[in-house]
Amino acid sequence: MAEETDWLAEGDPLAACGGAEAGTLEAGAVVWARHTSVAELAFVFEPEVVRGEAEDMRIVLQTAIADGLGAIMPSQTAIQFHWPDDIVVNGAKVGE
């Protein structure tokens, strides 16, 4: 993984999850994959709860993503999430 700043890196987002567990990435890190077939990225969080409870917070993150996208898109844009990790805008998966 090529580090570009202390918190932003290009690489394999799935591998970044392992790096976060191993302690090589800190809270707030963002890792993305540089290809055009899909939008693929990972955010590293360090919640102060056990892992099971942290996984339940996914809906809060999805709400934040929808709010952020909604703030920059036309007012009638449909934003949906398909389990477990797809973002769909106006019926099309983001990145495809």
Side-chain angles (χ1 to χ4, degrees), residues 8-24:
L8 182 65
E10 179 183 347
D12 178 1
L14 185 58
C17 295
E21 287 184 335
T24 58

Side-chain angles (χ1 to χ4, degrees), residues 9-36:
E10 179 183 347
D12 178 1
L14 185 58
C17 295
E21 287 184 335
T24 58
L25 291 173
E26 296 181 7
V30 179
V31 180
W32 83 95
R34 185 183 298 265
H35 53 74
T36 58

